[in-house]
Amino acid sequence: NYSQAEKYLHSFIDYEKIPGISYASPDYSLRHVEELLHRMGDPHLAARTIHIAGTKGKGSVAAMIAQVLSVSGYKTGLYTSPHLHTLRERIRVDGGLISQAEFAAAMAEVKPHIEAINTSYDQAKQLTFFEALTVLAFAYFKKKQIDFQVLEVGLGGRLDATNVAKPELCIITPISLDHTEVLGDSLTKIAHEKAGIIKPGCWVVLSPQPEE
Protein backbone atom coordinates (compact mmCIF):
# COMPACT_ATOMS: atom_id res chain seq x y z
CA ASN A 1 0.00 0.00 0.00
CA TYR A 2 1.01 3.66 -0.14
CA SER A 3 2.46 3.89 3.37
CA GLN A 4 4.58 0.78 2.74
CA ALA A 5 5.78 2.20 -0.57
CA GLU A 6 6.70 5.47 1.08
CA LYS A 7 8.48 3.69 3.94
CA TYR A 8 10.48 1.60 1.45
CA LEU A 9 11.51 4.71 -0.44
CA HIS A 10 12.70 6.36 2.75
CA SER A 11 14.97 3.38 3.42
CA PHE A 12 17.38 4.77 0.82
CA ILE A 13 19.95 7.44 1.56
CA ASP A 14 18.42 10.87 1.01
CA TYR A 15 20.85 13.65 0.08
CA GLU A 16 18.03 16.18 0.37
CA LYS A 17 18.16 15.59 4.13
CA ILE A 18 21.94 15.25 4.50
CA PRO A 19 23.41 18.46 3.05
CA GLY A 20 27.15 18.49 2.64
CA ILE A 21 27.52 14.84 1.71
CA SER A 22 28.52 14.55 -1.92
CA TYR A 23 27.64 11.67 -4.20
CA ALA A 24 29.58 13.43 -6.94
CA SER A 25 32.81 11.53 -6.37
CA PRO A 26 35.18 11.28 -9.36
CA ASP A 27 34.01 7.75 -10.23
CA TYR A 28 30.27 8.36 -9.71
CA SER A 29 28.02 7.88 -12.73
CA LEU A 30 24.40 7.15 -13.58
CA ARG A 31 25.22 3.71 -14.94
CA HIS A 32 23.30 1.91 -12.18
CA VAL A 33 20.20 4.03 -12.89
CA GLU A 34 20.46 3.37 -16.63
CA GLU A 35 20.87 -0.38 -16.03
CA LEU A 36 17.80 -0.39 -13.81
CA LEU A 37 15.70 1.45 -16.38
CA HIS A 38 16.93 -0.82 -19.17
CA ARG A 39 15.77 -3.86 -17.16
CA MET A 40 12.34 -2.21 -17.07
CA GLY A 41 12.16 -1.57 -20.82
CA ASP A 42 13.60 1.96 -20.82
CA PRO A 43 10.49 3.82 -19.63
CA HIS A 44 12.46 7.09 -19.51
CA LEU A 45 12.61 7.06 -23.31
CA ALA A 46 8.89 6.52 -23.89
CA ALA A 47 7.86 10.19 -24.01
CA ARG A 48 9.23 13.38 -25.52
CA THR A 49 11.25 15.17 -22.86
CA ILE A 50 11.86 18.74 -21.73
CA HIS A 51 14.63 18.99 -19.14
CA ILE A 52 15.15 21.98 -16.86
CA ALA A 53 18.18 22.84 -14.71
CA GLY A 54 19.36 26.02 -12.99
CA THR A 55 19.59 27.61 -9.58
CA LYS A 56 16.50 29.80 -9.51
CA GLY A 57 13.12 29.43 -11.16
CA LYS A 58 13.41 25.94 -12.60
CA GLY A 59 10.35 24.65 -10.75
CA SER A 60 8.23 27.57 -11.94
CA VAL A 61 9.45 27.16 -15.51
CA ALA A 62 8.69 23.43 -15.40
CA ALA A 63 5.17 24.05 -14.07
CA MET A 64 4.42 26.70 -16.70
CA ILE A 65 5.68 24.56 -19.58
CA ALA A 66 3.70 21.54 -18.38
CA GLN A 67 0.55 23.67 -18.18
CA VAL A 68 1.08 25.04 -21.69
CA LEU A 69 1.51 21.53 -23.07
CA SER A 70 -1.57 20.22 -21.25
CA VAL A 71 -3.89 22.99 -22.46
CA SER A 72 -2.46 22.49 -25.96
CA GLY A 73 -3.86 18.97 -25.95
CA TYR A 74 -0.77 16.96 -25.02
CA LYS A 75 -0.93 14.47 -22.17
CA THR A 76 1.87 15.79 -19.99
CA GLY A 77 3.80 14.42 -17.04
CA LEU A 78 5.54 16.77 -14.62
CA TYR A 79 8.30 15.67 -12.25
CA THR A 80 9.51 18.21 -9.69
CA SER A 81 11.14 18.43 -6.27
CA PRO A 82 11.00 18.94 -3.38
CA HIS A 83 7.44 18.63 -2.05
CA LEU A 84 5.51 20.48 0.66
CA HIS A 85 3.04 17.96 2.08
CA THR A 86 3.23 14.65 0.21
CA LEU A 87 5.66 12.85 -2.09
CA ARG A 88 2.81 12.59 -4.57
CA GLU A 89 3.18 16.30 -5.36
CA ARG A 90 6.37 15.49 -7.24
CA ILE A 91 4.65 13.32 -9.87
CA ARG A 92 1.73 14.76 -11.83
CA VAL A 93 -0.09 14.12 -15.09
CA ASP A 94 -2.00 17.07 -16.56
CA GLY A 95 -1.90 18.75 -13.16
CA GLY A 96 -3.27 15.81 -11.18
CA LEU A 97 -1.16 14.17 -8.48
CA ILE A 98 -0.34 10.49 -8.73
CA SER A 99 -2.85 8.71 -6.51
CA GLN A 100 -1.84 6.66 -3.48
CA ALA A 101 -2.93 3.48 -5.25
CA GLU A 102 -0.98 4.36 -8.39
CA PHE A 103 2.09 5.22 -6.33
CA ALA A 104 1.92 1.88 -4.52
CA ALA A 105 1.39 -0.01 -7.80
CA ALA A 106 4.35 1.74 -9.42
CA MET A 107 6.56 0.91 -6.46
CA ALA A 108 5.47 -2.74 -6.57
CA GLU A 109 6.53 -2.79 -10.23
CA VAL A 110 9.86 -1.09 -9.64
CA LYS A 111 10.97 -2.71 -6.36
CA PRO A 112 12.15 -6.10 -7.70
CA HIS A 113 14.33 -4.35 -10.28
CA ILE A 114 15.75 -2.00 -7.62
CA GLU A 115 16.61 -4.96 -5.40
CA ALA A 116 18.32 -6.76 -8.28
CA ILE A 117 20.42 -3.73 -9.21
CA ASN A 118 21.39 -2.92 -5.62
CA THR A 119 22.79 -6.41 -5.13
CA SER A 120 25.05 -5.79 -8.14
CA TYR A 121 26.76 -2.69 -6.70
CA ASP A 122 28.62 -1.89 -3.51
CA GLN A 123 26.88 0.34 -1.00
CA ALA A 124 28.50 3.55 -2.27
CA LYS A 125 26.79 3.15 -5.66
CA GLN A 126 23.39 1.84 -4.63
CA LEU A 127 20.29 3.83 -5.49
CA THR A 128 19.49 6.94 -3.51
CA PHE A 129 16.05 8.11 -2.46
CA PHE A 130 15.86 10.55 -5.37
CA GLU A 131 17.09 8.01 -7.92
CA ALA A 132 14.52 5.43 -6.83
CA LEU A 133 11.73 8.01 -6.91
CA THR A 134 12.80 9.18 -10.37
CA VAL A 135 12.68 5.63 -11.70
CA LEU A 136 9.19 5.25 -10.22
CA ALA A 137 8.11 8.45 -11.96
CA PHE A 138 9.38 7.22 -15.32
CA ALA A 139 7.53 3.92 -14.89
CA TYR A 140 4.33 5.75 -14.00
CA PHE A 141 4.58 8.16 -16.94
CA LYS A 142 5.08 5.28 -19.36
CA LYS A 143 2.03 3.48 -17.95
CA LYS A 144 -0.05 6.65 -18.38
CA GLN A 145 1.12 6.88 -22.02
CA ILE A 146 1.99 10.56 -21.79
CA ASP A 147 3.10 12.58 -24.81
CA PHE A 148 5.58 14.82 -22.95
CA GLN A 149 7.48 14.59 -19.69
CA VAL A 150 8.74 17.81 -18.14
CA LEU A 151 11.61 17.04 -15.76
CA GLU A 152 13.02 19.39 -13.17
CA VAL A 153 16.57 18.56 -12.13
CA GLY A 154 16.82 17.72 -8.45
CA LEU A 155 20.43 18.77 -7.87
CA GLY A 156 23.01 20.02 -10.36
CA GLY A 157 22.37 18.26 -13.64
CA ARG A 158 25.24 16.12 -14.89
CA LEU A 159 24.84 13.41 -12.23
CA ASP A 160 21.17 14.00 -11.42
CA ALA A 161 18.94 10.96 -11.86
CA THR A 162 16.75 12.84 -14.36
CA ASN A 163 19.76 13.13 -16.69
CA VAL A 164 19.25 9.64 -18.09
CA ALA A 165 16.50 11.07 -20.32
CA LYS A 166 17.08 12.12 -23.92
CA PRO A 167 15.50 15.58 -24.16
CA GLU A 168 14.35 17.45 -27.24
CA LEU A 169 14.69 20.71 -25.30
CA CYS A 170 16.92 21.70 -22.38
CA ILE A 171 16.38 24.86 -20.37
CA ILE A 172 18.90 26.38 -17.97
CA THR A 173 17.48 29.07 -15.71
CA PRO A 174 19.68 31.66 -13.94
CA ILE A 175 22.74 30.14 -12.25
CA SER A 176 24.16 31.32 -8.95
CA LEU A 177 26.10 29.78 -6.06
CA ASP A 178 24.12 26.87 -4.61
CA HIS A 179 24.98 23.50 -3.07
CA THR A 180 28.64 24.48 -3.28
CA GLU A 181 29.67 21.50 -1.15
CA VAL A 182 28.49 19.23 -3.95
CA LEU A 183 28.53 21.26 -7.17
CA GLY A 184 31.68 23.34 -6.66
CA ASP A 185 32.69 26.65 -5.13
CA SER A 186 32.52 28.83 -8.26
CA LEU A 187 29.94 29.75 -10.90
CA THR A 188 32.18 28.09 -13.50
CA LYS A 189 32.10 24.74 -11.69
CA ILE A 190 28.36 24.97 -11.02
CA ALA A 191 27.64 25.92 -14.64
CA HIS A 192 29.60 22.84 -15.71
CA GLU A 193 27.27 20.64 -13.66
CA LYS A 194 24.11 22.36 -14.91
CA ALA A 195 25.25 22.18 -18.54
CA GLY A 196 25.62 18.44 -18.13
CA ILE A 197 21.97 18.03 -19.13
CA ILE A 198 22.69 19.22 -22.68
CA LYS A 199 22.67 16.38 -25.21
CA PRO A 200 23.75 16.28 -28.87
CA GLY A 201 20.93 17.33 -31.16
CA CYS A 202 18.69 18.97 -28.55
CA TRP A 203 17.67 22.62 -28.44
CA VAL A 204 18.93 24.69 -25.51
CA VAL A 205 17.23 27.75 -24.02
CA LEU A 206 19.61 29.60 -21.73
CA SER A 207 18.62 32.40 -19.38
CA PRO A 208 20.79 35.52 -19.23
CA GLN A 209 23.70 34.55 -16.99
CA PRO A 210 26.56 36.22 -15.10
CA GLU A 211 29.56 36.70 -17.37
CA GLU A 212 31.56 34.02 -15.57
Side-chain angles (χ1 to χ4, degrees), residues 7 12 19 28 30 33 55-56 69 71 74-75 81 105-107 123 126 130 147 160 181 186 188 196-197 203:
K7 183 177 180 180
F12 297 100
Y28 196 89
L30 295 173
V33 181
T55 305
K56 298 176 181 176
L69 288 167
V71 300
Y74 296 102
K75 194 171 186 179
S81 60
M107 182 58 79
Q123 190 170 6
Q126 293 189 358
F130 185 76
D147 301 306
D160 189 79
E181 72 282 350
S186 69
T188 299
I197 69 170
W203 289 90

Side-chain angles (χ1 to χ4, degrees), residues 9 14-17 23 51-63 77-92 128-131 133-134 137 141 150-157 160-162 178-179 194:
L9 199 57
D14 186 355
Y15 288 112
E16 295 175 9
K17 294 183 178 180
Y23 61 81
H51 203 186
I52 303 159
T55 305
K56 298 176 181 176
K58 62 182 185 291
S60 300
V61 170
L78 174 62
Y79 182 59
T80 59
S81 60
H83 61 276
L84 293 176
H85 302 293
T86 169
L87 274 174
R88 295 166 45 234
E89 295 170 26
R90 301 187 184 209
I91 304 171
R92 304 170 185 252
T128 66
F129 167 90
F130 185 76
E131 289 169 346
L133 183 60
T134 302
F141 288 156
V150 181
L151 309 176
E152 178 195 2
V153 166
L155 175 66
D160 189 79
T162 59
D178 72 323
H179 300 290
K194 309 287 189 187

Side-chain angles (χ1 to χ4, degrees), residues 20-39:
I21 296 179
S22 173
Y23 61 81
S25 59
D27 63 339
Y28 196 89
S29 74
L30 295 173
R31 179 182 171 189
H32 59 303
V33 181
E34 292 174 324
E35 285 187 18
L36 170 56
L37 289 163
H38 188 63
R39 283 177 56 97

